[in-house]
Amino acid sequence: MAKAECTPKWNTLALRNRKTCPTPEKSFQTTFTPVSKDKNSQTAGHLAGGDTQSSNGPSGQFLARESIESPSKVLLMLVAGLSFSTRLYMITEPPHVCWDETHFGKMGSYYINRTFFFDVHPPLGKMLIGLAGYMSGYDGTFPFIKPGDKYENQNYWGMRGFCATLGSFLPIFAYLIVLELSNSCTAAIIAATLLIFDTGCITISQYILLDPILMFFIMAAVLSMVKFNQQRYRSFSASWWLWLVLTGINLAGALGVKFVGLFVIILVGLNTIWDLWRLLGDMSLSLVDIAKHFLARAFALILLPVILYVTIFAVHFVVLNKSGPGDGFFSSAFQSRLIGNNLHNASMPEYLAFGSTVTIKNLRIAGGYLHSHWHLYPEGVGARQQQVTAYLHKDYNNLWVVHRQQDNNSQSGNPDLVRHGDIVRLEHKETTRNLHSHLHEAPLTKKHFQVTGYGINGTGDANDLWQVEVCGGRKGDPVKVLRSKVRFLHRATGCVLYSSGKTLPKWGWEQIEVTCSPYLKETPSSQWNIEDHINPKLPNISLSVLKPNFLEILLESHIVMFRGNSGLKPKDNEMNSKPWHWPINYQGLRFSGVNATEYRVYLLGNPVVWWINLASLGLYLTMVAVASIATQRGFSLGQQRIEHSLVLVRGGGLLMLGWLLHYAPFFTMGRILYFHHYFPAMLFSSMLTGLTLDILFRSADLLLHPPYSYWFQRAGQLLLLFSILYSFYLFHPLSYGMTGPLAHEPGSAMADLKWMDSWEF
Amino acid sequence: MLQLPLVVTAQVDLLLVLVSLLAFWTRLSHLNYPNAVVFDEVYYGQFVSLYMKRVFFIDDSGPPLGHMILASGAYLGGFDGNFVWNRIGAEYPSTVNVWSLRLLPALCGALCVPLVYLLTLELKFSHLSALGAAVLLLLENSLIVQSRFMLLESVLIFFVLLAFFSYLRFHNAPSSSWSRYSWLILSGVSCGAAVGVKYMGLFSYLLLLVVASLHTWKLIGDKTISHMNVCVQSVHRVLCLVVVPVLLYVFWFYVHLSFLNRSGPHDQLMSSAFQASLQGGLSRITRGQPLEVAYGSQVTLRSSVSQPIPCWLHSHKVNYPIRYDNGRGSSHQQQVTCYPFKDVNNWWIIKDPGRQQLVVDTPPRPVRHGDVIQLVHGMTSRFLNSHDVAAPMSPHTQEVSGYIDFNVSMPAQNLWRVDISNREAESEVWKTILSEVRLIHVNTSAVLKLSGVSLPDWGFRQLEVVADKLFKAHSSSLEWTVEEHRYGTSQEQKEREAELHSPTHIDVDRKISFWAKFVELQWKMLTVKQEESEHKYSSSPLEWITMETNIAYWLHSSTNAQIHLIGNPVSWGVANLSLLAYQLLAVVYLLRRRRGLKDVPDGVWDQFVCLGCVCVGGWLVNFVPFLLMDKTLFLYHYLPALCYLYLLSPALLEHAHTHLLSSVTHQRALCVGALAVLLSIFLTYRTFCPLTYGSPELSAHQLQGLKWRDTWDILYRRR
C-alpha cells in the first residue's frame, strides 16, 4: 500500500544511522521506516500484527536482505563455530554411561537389535539415536546397565556426537530467530552468546539424551514459524510454502521426540490463529482467499504433522519386531506380533480346562495381569488379607490355577473344559490362596468391593467362588484361550472382577488396584482374557491370534505411554525438583560421579546467564508495561521508540508466550519433574533476554545525551559479554568435568563457586 | 428552614421484594428439620465446636472466615461446643439450637436471589430478565439444599455475587459521584470475604480483577481525563480491590489466631515455637524451661519434619539385628530411632567431649553454633554414634547407633558439631524451641536425619534415623529442635533416671509474632496433604455438567424421608443450553464483525461482551480449575459456576428477543416458550421438593419415579 513512499525515505535514513553494528543497523532502519510511516498515516493501527512490514514489497525486502547479509553472515559463522566447538569439545569424556544415557542409549541399542521395548516418550528421538549409533558403527551390544559403566571399546561417540551436533544448532537458531524478530544483530548476538556459554545447555547437549533432539525441533519449528511470518506479504510463494511446510515437519519432529513438543505446537497454533484473525480482518481479501489460507495452514500444520507422526510410529513398529522387555505393557493381540514372544505363533491348548494354569489379562489397555503376592492389605484397608492387584510385567505371581468348586484334585483324569456359566475357584499358584471378595470397600475405589487372596492350600470359603461368563456367549460355550472375553462374577455378592486402573500406594507396590464392581455393565475393565495356558493333559494347538490393525496399535501404545507418564509419581523419599526451583537455578542434576575421586559432571546452568535471564523477565514486563501505558495514554513517542515498543510487544510477546507455554504447565503436572525439563523454556527466556537488553541499552538516550548514551550502550554490551565469558570460564568444569574434592569441602577448586547451598558439585 | 409538608418518597421494586420474600420462605422455613447431622455438617461441626472451646485447629479445606461465620451462628444460638460430631444422621440433643447453626448460611443463600436480580439490572438488562434469573435461582433445588444446612457454598456464592454486583454498581455510577467509591470498597470487602470463605473464591476474585483492569485500561486510554485524575482513580481501584482484600484476608487469620489460643488436636502439626504459644499442650510442659541449651542439659530433640506426625530422637535397650532379612550386616549396636510419642527414652544429655561430668555448671556454659558435643542417652548412657555402616532401611546412608564397644575394631565416632541453621534469625546460642539445629557428624560430615522410612518389627515400627553424607541443603528433614529441656543436676545414673522421670516444671510463656504464626499456618494449610481417597458420592467435574451423580445428604433413621443434593434438571438443562448458545452466538458475532458486518449496534455489543465476561468467564473460572485438581470432588463444587449460568440464561433470552428476532410472531413464540420453560421448572421444583426438604416421606414407588437418571443413587429402606 505504501510502496510508493518507501523509496524516497531510504535516503534520509542514513542520517539516523547509529554505530552499534554499522552496516546492518542501516539496513534495519530501512526495513522499518516505512512501517513507522505507515503507523503514522493510519492513525488507528487496528490491523494489529499486519503492518509491520506491509510496505516491504519484494524489492524492498530484497534490498534490505542484501545489505544485512554480509556482516550477519560473519556473525552467524562465528556463532556456529563457537557453538560447535563448545559442544563437541571433550565429547567422549567421561568414557562411561552418564545419567539417562542408561535409558536412551539402551533404547538406541534396542532399535539396532530390533527388540521391542516400552518407553513413556514417542519413538523419534530414540530412533535417531539408534540410527546415529548404527551409522557410526555402534553394534548395539553394549548393555547400558547403570550409570558409571565403562564403555570400553564401544563406538559411543557417534550417538553423543549426533546429540551434540543437534545441540549446537540451538544458539544458531536462537540467533536467527532473534534477528528475525528484532532486526538487530546485537540482540541476536546477545541471545546466541547466552546460549553458547551456558554450561547447562552445553552439558545437556553432550550426552545421549532426548533433550537436545527435542530442543532442536522446537527451535527449528519456532524459526520456521518466524520466517513464515515474515513471508506474509508473499502469500503462496515458494518460500512461503517452504517455511510453512518446514514448520509442520518440525512440529511433528518435536512431538515425535517427547510430548513436551505439544507446547510448541500450541505456540504455533496460537500464532496461526492470530495470523488467520489478521487475514480475516483484511478486507482486501475475499472469503475464498481466506479459505485458501486456512486450508493451506490446515494442511501444513495439522495434516502433514499428523501424517509424519503416524509414520514415525509405523517405522517404530516395523523396526521393532522382536519380543523384548516391553511386552507385558501391551495386550495379548499386540504381543502376538512380536517374534520370540510366547504368543507369536502361539501353541497352547485351545480351550480353557479345569486344572489349567493360566495368566489372566485385563482387556483395558495397559490393564495388566491378575496378580497376587504374599503381602497383605495394610491395616485400615478392608480386611487384612493377601493383596490382589493387576501387574504389568510378566511374573510368576501372575499364574493362577483354575479349580472346580469343590475338588482339589482336578489334575487327575481327563480334564473337563470350563464352560460359560461354570463355577470356578481361582487358586494363586505361588501362594495357594484363592481369589476372594467380600463386602468390604476396595482400597481406592470405595464404591467397589475389595478383592483378596484367602484360604490355605485351596481351602477357603463360599466367597471364593466365581462364575465364568463368556461375553456374547451362551450357556455351555467353552472358553477360548486368548480370543474369548471372559468376565468373572462373584457368586456371593454378584459383583464382577474389575481392574480400576488406579495405582495403589506404596504398600501395594504401585501396582494397579483390582476390585469387584457391583455395576455389571460390560466394559473392558471388567473383561479379561486368558493369555498363557498350560495344561499338560491337553494337546497344544497352534493358535492364530487376531492381529490388531495399525490404528489399534497406535492408540494402544499412546494410552500405555500416557499411563506410564502419569504413573511416574515422585517417591516420598526422593528429593524432587519443583518448578519454581528452575529459573533461579536452584539445584542441578548429577550427571556423573558422586565422590571426590570420580570424574564429575553436574548439570547446572551458568548462574550468571540464568540470573540475567530471570532479571530480564522482570525487566521485559516492566518495559512492556511502560511502553503500552505510554501508547495507551497517547504520549507522543519518537519513531524509534515506537519501533522499539513494537519489537517488544510482538517479538518479545511471542518469546514470552513461548516461555510461559514451556514452563507454566509443569506447575500442574503430578508426575515427577526434573531440572532438565526447564531447558526448552530457558531457550525462550534467553532469546527474550537478548531482545530486551538490546532495547534497554538503546533506550539509554532517554536518560543520557547522545554521546554518553552511546557510550553507555557500548559499555553495557561489553560488560554483559565480559561477565558471560568470565562466568563461563569459572563454571566450565561443571560441563567438562571436575575431579578432586567436592565443593563443600575445603581445598576444592570449586569451593568459591558454590554460591548457593543447594548446589551439589 | 423546614419546608412543609414533610415528604418521604420511596420507590420500592415490588418484584424485588416479592422474590426476596419467596427466597426467604424457601430457604428459611422449617430450618431445624431434620434435627440431625446432615452430610458435611459433621465436618464443619467439629470446627464450630472447637471455636466454641477456643481450641486451635488447622483445616486445609479453606481459610478461617467460613468456619468463623458458622461459629458465630452457633455462638448466637448459645451452642457450647459440647456435641460429638461423629456420624451423619446423629440426632441433635435438645440443647443444640439447630436453627441458629443453620441460620447464617440459609440467610446468605436467600440473599443470593435478590442479588442476582440486582446484578442482572447492573448488567443493563431489563427487570424481566432480572426476574427470570432470580426465579431460576429461587427454584434450584440443589441451591436450596446447600443453603439450608451448615455448609459454606451458599456463603461463598453470596459474597462472590455481592462483589460483582457492587463492582458493577461502582462502574455504572456516574463518575462524578463520590458515593460510588463506597461500592468499590464494598466490592473489595466481599472479595476478601469470598476468598476468606473458600479458596475457590480466589478464582472469582481474579476474574473481577481482570474485568476491573480492563475497565481501568479503558480509563487510561481516555484522553479527555487529566493525567492526575487517571492516577488517582487507578490508585483508588488498586487500594480497594487489591489492598483491602489482602488485608482482610490476613485479618481473618488474625481473628482466627487470637481467638483460638488453646492447644488441641492439631498442635503437633505445628512447629514447637507455635505450639508453645498456645495455652496448655506444649506450653504447659515447656514453661519455665531454661532458654539456652548448655553442657549438661537434658533435652528431647524433635525432628522438624512434622508430617504426618511429630517424632523425637529416641533410643532403647535393643540392638540392631546382626543380619537383616536381606542378608546385610549391621553393627549390632543399640538402636537409635525416632519415636512419635512422649517417652522417657527420648531424653538425651548434652556433654562436653572434653569433660566427664553430666551436670550443668554454675553459671551454665551455653552451647553455640559450631561447637562439638556428644549426646548421651539418658536412660542407657550410650553415646549417639554414627559410622560407615549402611543404615538398615536406607543402605545409601550411614547407620546411627547408641555406641557399644564390642571390641571389633569399630571405634566410637560420637562427636557431633552443632550447626544452628536459623542463627541469623535467632542467635548463635542454641535455644530451646527456637533454634533449628543440624547435628553434623564430625568424622564423616554426615548429617543426622530422619529417612522417612519406618523400621520393621525388630525396630518396633519406629522411624529410622540415619546420617546422610549427601548435603541436600534446605531439606527440613535435617533439622532438630530442643523441645523439653532442663539443666541436669545429678551426676549419678540412678538419680538421673529419677530426674528424667519427673515432669518438667512451670513458668512464663514465649511469644512468637502474629506474622510468623500466620505464615506458618498458611503454609501448613497449603501443604498438609490429607490422604485423598474416593468417597462414595464423589464425582468428576465432567459429570457435573450433565448432573450424572447426586449426593445423599441425609436419610431418616426409620422412614424413607431423605434429603438429596439434586439440582433442578430442567434449569440445569437451560443453563447448559444458554452456555452453548452464548458461545455460538459470540463466535458468529466476532467473525462477522471482523469482516465488518455489525449485526448489533456498538452499545449492545458492549453489553453482550460484558455479559460474557462476567457469566461465561465466571463459569469458566469456577469450573476449569477443578479439571486440574486431584482432590476428591463433589457435585456441590459446581454450584458457584452454575449460578453464573443462571445469570446468563435470561439475559441471553432478552438479547435474542430484542436483537435477533425481528418478526413479532417469533418474539411471541419466544415468550411463550420461555413461559413454558419457567412453568416446567416450577413443576420439577415441586416434584423434587420431597428430596429437597426431606418431607413428606415418599413411598419406595414414588422414589423410584424420581430416579430420573440411572446413575442417581436414591435410597430405599427395606421394610
Side-chain angles (χ1 to χ4, degrees):
Chain A
M1 9 178 167
K3 216 180 278 179
E5 293 161 359
C6 307
T7 350
K9 270 279 155 188
W10 288 339
N11 306 329
T12 56
L13 264 173
L15 299 175
R16 291 201 294 102
N17 172 14
R18 277 163 301 104
K19 293 129 199 151
T20 358
C21 187
T23 344
E25 198 59 12
K26 185 158 98 195
S27 49
F28 301 150
Q29 300 295 347
T30 337
T31 28
F32 258 117
T33 339
V35 179
S36 8
K37 174 68 187 158
D38 262 4
K39 267 282 163 192
N40 296 347
S41 56
Q42 314 172 348
T43 36
H46 56 271
L47 295 186
D51 28 18
T52 328
Q53 298 245 321
S54 50
S55 52
N56 268 348
S59 61
Q61 194 142 24
F62 180 70
L63 279 174
R65 289 276 146 205
E66 205 170 29
S67 46
I68 287 183
E69 245 151 53
S70 45
S72 79
K73 251 192 179 161
V74 173
L75 285 174
L76 185 62
M77 296 311 289
L78 183 72
V79 167
L82 278 173
S83 160
F84 273 94
S85 49
T86 46
R87 266 72 180 165
L88 292 173
Y89 174 64
M90 288 178 60
I91 185 77
T92 51
E93 289 292 313
H96 57 243
V97 177
C98 290
W99 197 51
D100 271 1
E101 284 190 343
T102 171
H103 296 304
F104 302 121
K106 197 190 302 171
M107 290 165 186
S109 313
Y110 283 139
Y111 278 104
I112 296 176
N113 298 326
R114 309 191 64 173
T115 312
F116 189 77
F117 66 94
F118 164 73
D119 184 36
V120 294
H121 303 300
L124 180 63
K126 288 152 301 188
M127 263 158 44
L128 290 176
I129 289 174
L131 185 67
Y134 183 68
M135 304 293 271
S136 63
Y138 166 64
D139 56 4
T141 50
F142 186 70
F144 286 98
I145 291 172
K146 62 175 194 309
D149 289 355
K150 292 270 181 291
Y151 281 116
E152 311 291 347
N153 299 321
Q154 299 288 346
N155 270 327
Y156 63 98
W157 58 267
M159 292 185 275
R160 281 206 186 154
F162 170 72
C163 292
T165 310
L166 292 190
S168 308
F169 277 102
L170 301 178
I172 303 173
F173 286 159
Y175 176 85
L176 292 172
I177 292 171
V178 177
L179 188 63
E180 208 63 60
L181 289 176
S182 68
N183 272 309
S184 146
C185 47
T186 330
I189 273 293
I190 294 176
T193 317
L194 287 171
L195 291 181
I196 291 174
F197 296 111
D198 177 48
T199 48
C201 284
I202 295 177
T203 314
I204 206 162
S205 305
Q206 280 197 317
Y207 299 95
I208 309 172
L209 299 174
L210 296 184
D211 302 76
I213 310 176
L214 170 74
M215 291 194 285
F216 172 83
F217 282 117
I218 290 179
M219 289 294 270
V222 176
L223 178 64
S224 334
M225 176 185 86
V226 170
K227 287 274 189 193
F228 172 73
N229 284 349
Q230 299 294 359
Q231 303 290 330
R232 59 170 63 122
Y233 293 99
R234 308 167 64 188
S235 305
F236 302 107
S237 65
S239 58
W240 187 89
W241 275 110
L242 175 73
W243 290 118
L244 183 61
V245 169
L246 270 182
T247 314
I249 292 174
N250 286 316
L251 287 185
L255 189 66
V257 177
K258 269 191 179 188
F259 286 119
V260 176
L262 203 61
F263 302 143
V264 75
I265 292 183
I266 298 174
L267 179 68
V268 172
L270 289 175
N271 179 68
T272 310
I273 290 172
W274 178 245
D275 198 28
L276 284 172
W277 186 246
R278 178 186 61 81
L279 289 170
L280 188 68
D282 184 348
M283 292 311 208
S284 63
L285 292 174
S286 72
L287 279 177
V288 177
D289 291 333
I290 290 171
K292 271 192 206 162
H293 273 282
F294 176 76
L295 287 177
R297 284 167 176 79
F299 163 72
L301 300 179
I302 299 174
L303 197 60
L304 182 68
V306 167
I307 291 172
L308 287 177
Y309 183 74
V310 171
T311 316
I312 293 169
F313 271 89
V315 174
H316 173 74
F317 291 126
V318 169
V319 170
L320 302 182
N321 58 3
K322 291 186 197 153
S323 162
D327 293 9
F329 286 86
F330 292 87
S331 65
S332 313
F334 188 99
Q335 292 180 30
S336 67
R337 292 176 53 256
L338 301 169
I339 300 168
N341 188 289
N342 54 354
L343 298 181
H344 184 76
N345 299 329
S347 171
M348 55 179 77
E350 190 178 8
Y351 295 108
L352 181 67
F354 287 104
S356 298
T357 306
V358 295
T359 59
I360 302 170
K361 176 141 192 153
N362 192 246
L363 276 184
R364 203 171 45 86
I365 292 170
Y369 298 96
L370 189 68
H371 178 98
S372 185
H373 39 227
W374 283 112
H375 304 272
L376 305 184
Y377 283 103
E379 251 166 279
V381 182
R384 221 174 126 65
Q385 295 172 7
Q386 183 167 307
Q387 296 173 15
V388 172
T389 64
Y391 187 49
L392 283 169
H393 298 273
K394 297 198 166 185
D395 184 291
Y396 282 116
N397 274 327
N398 298 342
L399 292 176
W400 298 81
V401 185
V402 185
H403 285 299
R404 260 184 210 295
Q405 193 168 340
Q406 250 90 46
D407 89 64
N408 219 348
N409 297 328
S410 55
Q411 304 282 5
S412 62
N414 218 13
D416 291 338
L417 297 185
V418 178
R419 295 176 188 278
H420 181 107
D422 281 359
I423 313 282
V424 299
R425 188 162 55 72
L426 288 172
E427 184 184 317
H428 187 239
K429 192 158 188 203
E430 290 292 308
T431 61
T432 70
R433 305 245 191 255
N434 290 327
L435 188 72
H436 177 100
S437 181
H438 44 218
L439 294 171
H440 285 279
E441 49 185 36
L444 301 177
T445 316
K446 305 280 185 195
K447 296 170 188 176
H448 295 182
F449 302 126
Q450 187 191 24
V451 174
T452 65
Y454 181 73
I456 299 170
N457 286 327
T459 322
D461 63 7
N463 274 334
D464 299 348
L465 299 180
W466 301 81
Q467 182 168 22
V468 177
E469 188 181 86
V470 181
C471 296
R474 270 184 291 162
K475 190 158 171 52
D477 285 357
V479 178
K480 288 185 200 151
V481 173
L482 286 171
R483 280 171 294 183
S484 291
K485 299 174 180 173
V486 185
R487 301 205 305 164
F488 295 94
L489 290 163
H490 191 238
R491 283 295 286 168
T493 54
C495 57
V496 59
L497 191 68
Y498 189 92
S499 159
S500 69
K502 293 173 191 158
T503 310
L504 292 171
K506 216 163 33 177
W507 55 256
W509 310 98
E510 276 135 24
Q511 295 173 3
I512 299 167
E513 185 195 36
V514 167
T515 63
C516 193
S517 162
Y519 306 101
L520 298 180
K521 219 158 88 182
E522 285 194 6
T523 63
S525 299
S526 62
Q527 293 173 332
W528 305 76
N529 72 358
I530 311 295
E531 192 174 292
D532 296 299
H533 183 212
I534 305 160
N535 195 333
K537 304 242 166 88
L538 289 173
N540 284 347
I541 292 167
S542 159
L543 294 176
S544 64
V545 186
L546 289 177
K547 293 256 155 68
N549 68 27
F550 176 67
L551 283 180
E552 280 167 6
I553 302 179
L554 190 69
L555 182 70
E556 180 174 344
S557 58
H558 273 83
I559 293 178
V560 175
M561 278 191 285
F562 282 121
R563 289 262 161 72
N565 252 320
S566 54
L568 294 174
K569 289 269 189 274
K571 307 255 180 345
D572 285 349
N573 287 326
E574 270 175 33
M575 177 77 186
N576 64 64
S577 177
K578 301 260 177 357
W580 63 263
H581 290 173
W582 303 339
I584 54 176
N585 209 13
Y586 178 79
Q587 199 174 33
L589 266 174
R590 230 184 257 112
F591 260 44
S592 147
V594 180
N595 297 327
T597 50
E598 286 171 296
Y599 184 93
R600 297 188 310 273
V601 176
Y602 189 65
L603 174 71
L604 184 75
N606 180 340
V608 174
V609 170
W610 285 54
W611 293 340
I612 288 176
N613 279 345
L614 191 63
S616 302
L617 283 172
L619 195 65
Y620 171 77
L621 290 179
T622 334
M623 282 164 67
V624 163
V626 170
S628 38
I629 286 179
T631 325
Q632 175 81 358
R633 202 55 209 147
F635 288 116
S636 63
L637 303 172
Q639 218 162 43
Q640 196 196 336
R641 213 68 75 204
I642 292 176
E643 286 163 22
H644 285 171
S645 64
L646 273 180
V647 170
L648 269 184
V649 172
R650 297 210 183 127
L654 185 76
L655 296 175
M656 187 77 189
L657 185 67
W659 178 76
L660 273 179
L661 281 174
H662 283 85
Y663 180 46
F666 286 104
F667 282 95
T668 62
M669 281 189 199
R671 64 162 280 178
I672 186 161
L673 297 171
Y674 295 104
F675 178 56
H676 71 272
H677 288 149
Y678 183 66
F679 276 85
M682 185 266 174
L683 298 177
F684 285 97
S685 169
S686 301
M687 292 192 278
L688 186 63
T689 307
L691 198 138
T692 313
L693 289 185
D694 180 45
I695 289 177
L696 180 78
F697 291 146
R698 286 176 187 217
S699 309
D701 56 344
L702 276 176
L703 294 175
L704 302 167
H705 289 295
Y708 301 107
S709 68
Y710 168 66
W711 292 343
F712 176 83
Q713 187 181 335
R714 262 305 155 83
Q717 287 161 355
L718 280 178
L719 183 71
L720 187 66
L721 184 68
F722 174 75
S723 55
I724 293 173
L725 284 177
Y726 184 66
S727 62
F728 176 66
Y729 165 72
L730 286 180
F731 284 96
H732 76 273
L734 292 182
S735 312
Y736 298 127
M738 327 164 248
T739 44
L742 301 169
H744 65 84
E745 288 162 8
S748 162
M750 304 298 284
D752 293 340
L753 296 175
K754 201 171 148 66
W755 294 348
M756 283 176 88
D757 283 344
S758 47
W759 295 347
E760 306 154 308
F761 45 77
Chain B
M1 278 282 89
L2 192 67
Q3 284 197 339
L4 289 173
L6 208 59
V7 179
V8 176
T9 332
Q11 280 188 317
V12 178
D13 186 341
L14 284 179
L15 277 181
L16 183 60
V17 173
L18 183 70
V19 288
S20 313
L21 286 178
L22 283 174
F24 281 108
W25 183 61
T26 50
R27 265 72 174 174
L28 288 172
S29 59
H30 302 294
L31 203 52
N32 45 13
Y33 175 84
N35 188 24
V37 179
V38 175
F39 199 58
D40 266 358
E41 285 188 347
V42 74
Y43 179 74
Y44 293 115
Q46 49 176 331
F47 300 127
V48 170
S49 284
L50 291 174
Y51 262 113
M52 293 302 113
K53 298 182 180 269
R54 308 189 63 174
V55 168
F56 174 78
F57 66 88
I58 299 185
D59 175 27
D60 61 338
S61 71
L65 178 66
H67 301 319
M68 288 197 285
I69 289 176
L70 297 182
S72 56
Y75 178 74
L76 293 177
F79 179 55
D80 55 3
N82 288 328
F83 179 72
V84 187
W85 309 83
N86 55 1
R87 170 175 80 79
I88 296 174
E91 294 271 332
Y92 287 112
S94 57
T95 49
V96 178
N97 188 346
V98 183
W99 189 79
S100 81
L101 285 177
R102 293 175 182 165
L103 178 65
L104 289 179
L107 272 181
C108 287
L111 286 174
C112 288
V113 177
L115 258 182
V116 162
Y117 185 93
L118 293 169
L119 187 50
T120 313
L121 293 184
E122 290 305 325
L123 286 167
K124 297 183 183 150
F125 286 90
S126 69
H127 284 267
L128 220 52
S129 295
L131 182 66
V135 168
L136 277 176
L137 225 65
L138 183 70
L139 299 180
E140 172 53 54
N141 302 61
S142 58
L143 284 174
I144 297 176
V145 172
Q146 200 68 17
S147 313
R148 285 172 56 86
F149 302 104
M150 199 172 62
L151 306 169
L152 287 179
E153 263 66 26
S154 62
V155 185
L156 172 69
I157 295 172
F158 169 74
F159 280 122
V160 168
L161 290 176
L162 184 63
F164 271 102
F165 163 67
S166 44
Y167 174 74
L168 287 176
R169 224 336 130 73
F170 158 79
H171 178 68
N172 292 337
S175 57
S176 52
S177 85
W178 278 96
S179 67
R180 71 188 192 127
Y181 281 102
S182 58
W183 287 110
L184 192 60
I185 292 174
L186 178 61
S187 178
V189 169
S190 13
C191 283
V195 181
V197 171
K198 285 214 155 200
Y199 285 126
M200 264 327 275
L202 186 67
F203 294 104
S204 295
Y205 170 52
L206 289 180
L207 178 71
L208 191 134
L209 280 189
V210 168
V211 172
S213 42
L214 284 180
H215 287 151
T216 317
W217 190 242
K218 263 194 197 142
L219 184 82
I220 291 174
D222 187 348
K223 281 149 203 158
T224 57
I225 308 176
S226 72
H227 293 326
M228 194 56 206
N229 196 344
V230 169
C231 278
V232 170
Q233 292 214 33
S234 310
V235 168
H236 272 152
R237 281 158 212 242
V238 170
L239 273 182
C240 297
L241 293 182
V242 179
V243 178
V244 168
V246 169
L247 286 182
L248 268 179
Y249 183 75
V250 177
F251 177 71
W252 309 136
F253 276 89
Y254 181 76
V255 175
H256 180 75
L257 284 172
S258 46
F259 216 74
L260 303 181
N261 55 6
R262 298 191 185 146
S263 82
H266 295 172
D267 275 18
Q268 302 197 318
L269 291 173
M270 311 307 287
S271 68
S272 304
F274 192 105
Q275 289 185 40
S277 71
L278 298 171
Q279 285 176 21
L282 186 67
S283 70
R284 202 180 58 231
I285 304 170
T286 55
R287 243 179 293 155
Q289 288 184 174
L291 183 63
E292 296 182 344
V293 176
Y295 290 105
S297 282
Q298 301 172 349
V299 295
T300 60
L301 287 163
R302 179 182 143 146
S303 165
S304 301
V305 208
S306 37
Q307 285 156 356
I309 32 169
C311 71
W312 291 270
L313 191 68
H314 178 96
S315 184
H316 41 232
K317 263 205 158 86
V318 182
N319 296 354
Y320 287 111
I322 300 179
R323 294 232 164 262
Y324 300 120
D325 291 343
N326 55 10
R328 272 192 300 112
S330 81
S331 68
H332 195 49
Q333 294 177 2
Q334 180 167 308
Q335 294 176 12
V336 172
T337 64
C338 203
Y339 186 57
F341 300 97
K342 297 261 177 195
D343 187 88
V344 71
N345 271 325
N346 297 348
W347 285 97
W348 296 81
I349 300 165
I350 294 181
K351 177 176 169 297
D352 184 346
R355 300 174 25 168
Q356 279 306 314
Q357 66 176 6
L358 290 176
V359 295
V360 175
D361 296 340
T362 37
R365 289 188 304 130
V367 182
R368 294 172 187 279
H369 172 74
D371 285 357
V372 173
I373 59 164
Q374 288 171 320
L375 281 170
V376 183
H377 187 239
M379 299 304 287
T380 60
S381 301
R382 300 274 182 219
F383 285 81
L384 187 74
N385 186 61
S386 179
H387 41 217
D388 195 12
V389 172
M393 308 309 286
S394 326
H396 53 285
T397 53
Q398 288 183 172
E399 181 190 88
V400 173
S401 63
Y403 184 71
I404 307 174
D405 193 357
F406 289 122
N407 233 339
V408 285
S409 68
M410 204 177 251
Q413 302 183 350
N414 52 18
L415 297 182
W416 298 86
R417 195 171 63 248
V418 175
D419 180 285
I420 300 176
S421 50
N422 60 347
R423 59 184 178 277
E424 276 96 12
E426 290 299 335
S427 74
E428 285 273 315
V429 176
W430 189 354
K431 286 186 178 169
T432 315
I433 291 177
L434 302 171
S435 297
E436 290 175 352
V437 172
R438 286 182 204 178
L439 293 171
I440 301 171
H441 192 233
V442 171
N443 299 60
T444 58
S445 44
V447 188
L448 188 74
K449 74 165 211 176
L450 199 61
S451 70
V453 186
S454 52
L455 297 171
D457 286 330
W458 56 255
F460 311 100
R461 309 213 160 264
Q462 296 174 5
L463 298 166
E464 185 196 33
V465 169
V466 298
D468 194 354
K469 233 181 213 172
L470 303 176
F471 205 73
K472 290 249 166 86
H474 297 297
S475 142
S476 63
S477 59
L478 303 175
E479 264 121 32
W480 300 83
T481 48
V482 166
E483 208 167 84
E484 290 165 85
H485 175 219
R486 61 186 155 209
Y487 287 155
T489 50
S490 35
Q491 180 67 25
E492 282 304 308
Q493 174 67 18
K494 280 275 166 271
E495 282 173 45
R496 204 159 57 229
E497 279 177 23
E499 190 179 15
L500 291 174
H501 275 292
S502 68
T504 33
H505 27 216
I506 323 232
D507 205 36
V508 283
D509 59 343
R510 294 190 191 89
K511 286 228 160 28
I512 58 171
S513 71
F514 162 70
W515 287 106
K517 284 168 89 172
F518 167 69
V519 169
E520 184 179 343
L521 179 60
Q522 179 70 77
W523 181 246
K524 280 277 148 63
M525 283 170 69
L526 293 177
T527 51
V528 165
K529 283 270 179 314
Q530 282 173 0
E531 196 66 24
E532 292 292 348
S533 62
E534 198 172 296
H535 185 276
K536 181 150 188 272
Y537 289 106
S538 63
S539 47
S540 75
L542 288 175
E543 293 171 358
W544 300 339
I545 299 181
T546 48
M547 201 164 57
E548 290 282 327
T549 51
N550 65 322
I551 308 178
Y553 267 25
W554 170 80
L555 176 66
H556 192 276
S557 50
S558 55
T559 70
N560 260 337
Q562 50 192 307
I563 295 178
H564 283 264
L565 184 76
I566 295 185
N568 187 328
V570 181
S571 330
W572 217 279
V574 168
N576 289 337
L577 268 183
S578 57
L579 179 67
L580 267 182
Y582 182 89
Q583 287 169 339
L584 268 179
L585 205 57
V587 168
V588 171
Y589 274 161
L590 265 178
L591 290 178
R592 285 174 62 87
R593 283 179 82 82
R594 188 69 185 164
R595 293 301 289 176
L597 303 163
K598 295 197 172 175
D599 302 280
V600 288
D602 279 339
V604 179
W605 170 246
D606 285 345
Q607 181 200 27
F608 185 74
V609 170
C610 185
L611 178 72
C613 279
V614 174
C615 298
V616 180
W619 179 79
L620 281 177
V621 296
N622 280 290
F623 179 68
V624 175
F626 286 117
L627 293 174
L628 305 175
M629 283 183 201
D630 33 341
K631 271 177 53 172
T632 315
L633 296 173
F634 294 94
L635 181 64
Y636 59 71
H637 285 123
Y638 186 58
L639 295 180
L642 188 69
C643 287
Y644 286 101
L645 293 187
Y646 287 158
L647 210 55
L648 176 69
S649 316
L652 198 62
L653 213 59
E654 185 190 328
H655 179 86
H657 181 263
T658 37
H659 301 290
L660 286 183
L661 302 179
S662 43
S663 87
V664 182
T665 7
H666 288 173
Q667 290 183 344
R668 285 213 182 113
L670 189 72
C671 292
V672 173
L675 273 180
V677 169
L678 275 184
L679 189 68
S680 55
I681 287 176
F682 177 70
L683 291 177
T684 357
Y685 160 75
R686 293 282 306 171
T687 316
F688 283 99
C689 259
L691 294 185
T692 305
Y693 294 97
S695 69
E697 181 201 355
L698 295 182
S699 70
H701 183 68
Q702 285 169 311
L703 286 171
Q704 191 76 53
L706 284 182
K707 197 171 171 180
W708 288 19
R709 300 195 73 123
D710 288 340
T711 44
W712 287 356
D713 235 339
I714 292 180
L715 313 166
Y716 316 99
R717 207 167 270 290
R718 288 186 193 146
R719 306 226 172 164

